[in-house]
Amino acid sequence: MREFKSMVLPANAVAGYTGTWVWGYLKPGQVAGQLADGTVPGRQSFIGPVIVATRGVPTEMKFVNELPTAKTTNVLAYRYSTDQTLHWADPLNGGESMCAHMAMPPVPGSECASNYGESFDAPIPAAVHLHGGEVPPQLDGGPDSWFTSDGTMKGASFYSSDGSTASNYAIYRYPNSQEGAPIWFHDHTLGATRLNVYAGLAGAYLVTDPARDPANLPELVPLVVQDRMFDSNGQLFFTAASAGGALWALNPDHPYWNPEFVGDVIVVNGKSWPYKNVEAKRYTFLFLNGSNARTYEMALVDPVSKNLGPPLYVIGTDGGYLDRPAKLDPALGGKLVMMPGERYQVIVDFAGYQAGKKGPNGVPYSGTWLLRNTAKTPYPGGETPNGNTTGRIMLFKVGAATVADSSFNPAKAGATLRGAAGQGPALVRLANQTAGTLAAGVTVQKTRQLTLNEVMGMPQVAINPVTGALTSYPGGPLEILVNNTKWSGKRITGVEDGMYRFEPIPGFSEDATGNFISEKPKEGETEVWEIVNLTEDAHPIHLHLAQFQLVNRQSFDTREYGAAYAAAFPGGGYDPMTGAPYPSGVFIPGFGPPQNYDANPGNSRAVGGNPDIALMGKNGKPVYLQGPAAPALPQEAGWKDTIVAFPGQVTRIAVRWAPTDLPASTAPAAASFAFDPNGGNGYVWHCHIIDHEDNEMMRPDEVVPNAVAVRSYVMGTDY
């Protein structure tokens, strides 16, 4: 992990531009060749590398943190954007993050009102998470696995295969035991993920499975799509505090945190609005949304003739290949929606789309095809993208010559990717009248009903902790939560000496790092998670370790359910407005679920501590649910680790806590990982809008291991 310059913008974009300072993963030889001006010969992008692994053959990687200090880094977007009022890694205070416990906004000039390491050389913490990886918890690279650039400090879940306890590196030996899948790796430092990933710490990791992967696929081209913003010197700009003369903070409580960063420049593979010369043949594009918060809604169009472009044939999702290609035809309104963290493998056939050929609208093709973005921000009901900037992703320029192409053709009638078996078993029915229900032979051991919550701050005039000036704040999210629960699993009970007093939420169990856990699935079991979105926006929900399948989505009466949800709260906690406990029947932010998580008399159908979203009335009709449940779209009907949860809907996923290729009817006692999934460090689940996960929209979880499982990948021997 190293700081260097990369030509993200064109050479003439800014006078005297010699590159943008970024962070990235460099190989030792590239580090040795770094020039005095910060550039790295031969490294054209800050994104990467792409690791290609083979199933069953472990890959050992040593990640070395050679980032500069918070004071000396040239990535100014990091230097002025760290918010110490968030629950974050906080290396200088042993990870205690005391600024996050204050009962009032920070005082101007205080440490909590300042950026991390503002006045001295504070080392930068970093962590490496293998997103989508079927790995032991020690190798997952979760939020508390961080380690600093000076090698003196580490998080509570730090691990290195060589037994090192405190250093500036970590050695991970990934088992690659899972089916072929387009996973990736990126920073996951607690409370600073949004900044480290924004600076460039992300790369792709493709697991191939030669015995099972489809044969003869077209040439593979990875496309990592992100949005960025730049200052007048061509350096990364981040929307924090009052940077650039604009007030980005919505409340004084978190002076450097903005709920969603969205940039005005689209960057693909580390280049702003690039183009690719292609031949008139098929290509396989591996799309990865590496943005902080922006959603993409993609289709091809000719920017000159205005003809709609070739269809997108989706052949794979986060966890592997679909049974058969899913055609997204722009002529029928077909678009590929991709939220942060999601991946899709897509085949595009450019044959017949060369310049001069007459298009459906009667105007000849120009031979140039724009990958257009029409997703609103925030998604799905926010602002429409600017057609000249954020509405443009990249161009494809098709050669004039006709090219022979014998690669897999997804448009061929009856085309399948792996025959009838597909990639792993089907947990969900996908056809006819049973669409959106569980497949035959699938037994659900537990249903969890979990909410997505937004805690709002009111408009106010207050002292700006950064400038000390009286400032008019518009109000907005103070934090975003999963199941109304903070990362720690503790709730506020009062104030003592200006600091919040916390207690564990009753019924939660303490993990090895001092957090309190509510989600403890058992290895081998299948669970249905019902994600009830009570916020105004869509969220990409990501589970570590496990791949899952989307069962269905269903709308609900937000007013009626919201009223029942608030009424279920028993009172208690601490109301900062009155200094007294909340009365009963009122929503209590960060209280946890309103009722007992595991023993809720009002919801015997699902654990989670919430009123039953599927409650039936005396008339035999649903009280809250509206209309029929909609099954997964064909392009998202495979194994996923990140799924879109729309506002006003309950999103149901089937999670099998075992390898994806075991038969769907496998008994839990016979379904186990090659490794022990509970090493005391645990995994997490969270929203992959990384600005959200940095401010509480993330929870640790633990997998209860199968005591009789035989392990073939053992700590101390294999890693």
Side-chain angles (χ1 to χ4, degrees):
M1 293 172 271
R2 184 89 173 204
E3 182 168 294
F4 57 97
K5 272 187 178 180
S6 183
M7 295 293 289
V8 187
L9 301 173
N12 61 352
V14 176
Y17 179 70
T18 59
T20 299
W21 284 102
V22 295
W23 297 346
Y25 300 106
L26 297 180
K27 293 184 292 185
Q30 292 173 312
V31 172
Q34 188 169 357
L35 302 180
D37 67 353
T39 56
V40 178
R43 183 66 187 267
Q44 299 300 315
S45 171
F46 63 83
I47 288 295
V50 177
I51 305 298
V52 180
T54 302
R55 186 182 189 190
V57 181
T59 300
E60 183 169 286
M61 300 183 70
K62 181 178 183 179
F63 294 101
V64 184
N65 185 346
E66 293 188 355
L67 297 171
T69 66
K71 184 179 180 181
T72 61
T73 178
N74 293 294
V75 180
L76 303 181
Y78 180 91
R79 188 188 298 181
Y80 65 68
S81 302
T82 52
D83 195 320
Q84 300 195 90
T85 67
L86 302 181
H87 184 161
W88 84 294
D90 196 9
L92 300 181
N93 293 290
E96 291 297 321
S97 191
M98 296 307 296
C99 295
H101 298 168
M102 296 185 307
M104 61 190 69
V107 176
S110 67
E111 178 185 355
C112 297
S114 305
N115 293 127
Y116 168 68
E118 191 170 283
S119 58
F120 55 95
D121 288 342
I124 293 174
V128 185
H129 166 53
L130 188 63
H131 180 127
E134 186 180 281
V135 295
Q138 297 89 347
L139 309 183
D140 184 64
D144 273 328
S145 67
W146 55 268
F147 49 100
T148 57
S149 48
D150 68 351
T152 62
M153 288 164 274
K154 66 186 189 311
S157 298
F158 173 82
Y159 176 84
S160 183
S161 293
D162 64 350
S164 175
T165 58
S167 63
N168 74 327
Y169 70 86
I171 299 174
Y172 294 155
R173 190 169 186 262
Y174 300 127
N176 298 325
S177 56
Q178 66 203 89
E179 293 187 287
I183 62 179
W184 61 304
F185 59 101
H186 62 80
D187 190 88
H188 212 312
T189 302
L190 182 66
T193 299
R194 71 197 187 287
L195 304 179
N196 291 10
V197 171
Y198 185 72
L201 292 176
Y205 192 110
L206 182 65
V207 179
T208 64
D209 188 352
R212 296 169 59 87
D213 286 348
N216 199 32
L217 291 180
E219 176 186 344
L220 179 67
V221 181
L223 296 175
V224 181
V225 186
Q226 301 168 302
D227 56 340
R228 293 292 183 265
M229 193 177 286
F230 298 87
D231 65 19
S232 56
N233 295 316
Q235 301 304 310
L236 289 173
F237 179 88
F238 201 76
T239 52
S242 301
L247 179 66
W248 303 103
L250 304 182
N251 308 282
D253 308 70
H254 303 305
Y256 299 95
W257 177 73
N258 185 337
E260 290 106 15
F261 170 86
V262 287
D264 52 13
V265 176
I266 303 300
V267 174
V268 181
N269 290 356
K271 298 291 182 183
S272 58
W273 292 301
Y275 70 89
K276 179 176 177 58
N277 291 319
V278 296
E279 296 181 279
K281 65 175 186 177
R282 289 183 285 275
Y283 290 82
T284 304
F285 295 111
L286 170 50
F287 287 110
L288 188 163
N289 184 347
S291 297
N292 281 40
R294 184 179 292 279
T295 299
Y296 299 95
E297 195 176 67
M298 305 185 299
L300 288 163
V301 64
D302 187 330
V304 179
S305 73
K306 308 305 179 185
N307 278 292
L308 297 177
L312 307 180
Y313 287 90
V314 178
I315 63 168
T317 52
D318 305 336
Y321 294 99
L322 297 173
D323 287 353
R324 56 190 60 83
K327 181 180 180 181
L328 299 178
D329 189 345
L332 302 175
K335 299 176 182 179
L336 179 61
V337 175
M338 187 170 61
M339 290 201 82
E342 290 191 288
R343 290 90 64 207
Y344 285 98
Q345 290 197 69
V346 176
I347 292 178
V348 177
D349 192 347
F350 291 103
Y353 289 89
Q354 300 100 310
K357 293 184 178 291
K358 186 174 290 187
N361 69 2
V363 181
Y365 296 143
S366 69
T368 297
W369 295 95
L370 169 67
L371 185 63
R372 183 170 58 185
N373 170 41
T374 56
K376 295 181 178 180
T377 302
Y379 190 75
E383 294 184 3
T384 300
N386 184 320
N388 294 318
T389 55
T390 53
R392 304 169 66 89
I393 297 176
M394 68 176 294
L395 291 173
F396 296 96
K397 299 181 179 181
V398 184
T402 300
V403 179
D405 189 351
S406 60
S407 65
F408 174 79
N409 183 3
K412 186 177 180 179
T416 58
L417 290 154
R418 290 245 322 261
Q423 184 84 353
L427 299 183
V428 179
R429 294 184 187 273
L430 301 174
N432 304 324
Q433 301 302 314
T434 55
T437 61
L438 294 174
V442 175
T443 301
V444 176
Q445 279 77 30
K446 182 169 288 187
T447 297
R448 299 182 191 270
Q449 184 186 309
L450 308 161
T451 61
L452 307 181
N453 306 81
E454 204 162 47
V455 180
M456 302 296 288
M458 299 298 292
Q460 61 179 300
V461 176
I463 296 295
N464 187 321
V466 179
T467 65
L470 199 63
T471 302
S472 178
Y473 285 93
L478 286 165
E479 60 187 13
I480 308 101
L481 307 173
V482 289
N483 214 30
N484 195 38
T485 306
K486 293 176 180 286
W487 158 265
S488 66
K490 300 177 182 179
R491 62 174 61 145
I492 298 171
T493 60
V495 174
E496 187 174 331
D497 297 329
M499 306 292 284
Y500 283 126
R501 187 171 61 247
F502 293 87
E503 70 173 12
I505 296 174
F508 289 14
S509 59
E510 188 172 10
D511 70 3
T513 61
N515 298 311
F516 286 81
I517 307 292
S518 49
E519 285 73 51
K520 299 186 68 173
K522 295 180 179 179
E523 182 181 17
E525 291 193 349
T526 297
E527 299 186 344
V528 169
W529 287 30
E530 299 180 338
I531 310 297
V532 181
N533 189 348
L534 301 177
T535 78
E536 296 295 324
D537 304 317
H539 298 269
I541 299 302
H542 171 50
L543 275 60
H544 287 213
L545 175 64
Q547 296 284 339
F548 52 78
Q549 291 178 9
L550 175 61
V551 181
N552 55 46
R553 298 185 178 96
Q554 191 168 11
S555 297
F556 64 92
D557 188 321
T558 56
R559 184 182 65 83
E560 289 293 331
Y561 185 78
Y565 179 72
F569 281 86
Y574 175 80
D575 184 349
M577 298 295 293
T578 65
Y582 283 88
S584 62
V586 176
F587 170 65
I588 306 176
F591 183 83
Q595 299 161 332
N596 185 282
Y597 188 99
D598 287 304
N600 176 8
N603 188 354
S604 58
R605 187 185 60 86
V607 302
N610 301 294
D612 191 355
I613 193 72
L615 179 69
M616 301 298 289
K618 294 180 180 180
N619 59 1
K621 296 181 179 180
V623 176
Y624 310 118
L625 294 175
Q626 296 178 325
L633 297 171
Q635 64 268 24
E636 59 180 0
W639 288 101
K640 298 277 290 171
D641 58 52
T642 308
I643 198 70
V644 183
F646 287 97
Q649 290 188 356
V650 52
T651 300
R652 301 182 180 94
I653 58 175
V655 192
R656 210 262 299 274
W657 297 93
T660 56
D661 59 347
L662 293 175
S665 58
T666 304
S672 59
F673 295 102
F675 48 82
D676 185 344
N678 187 352
N681 302 69
Y683 303 94
V684 298
W685 70 283
H686 60 89
C687 173
H688 216 283
I689 292 176
I690 52 181
D691 310 282
H692 290 181
E693 75 172 70
D694 272 355
N695 193 3
E696 302 291 349
M697 201 172 189
M698 176 166 59
R699 286 282 292 138
D701 57 49
E702 286 184 355
V703 179
V704 179
N706 183 344
V708 299
V710 177
R711 312 295 183 185
S712 59
Y713 203 73
V714 181
M715 188 168 68
T717 301
D718 299 292
Y719 67 97

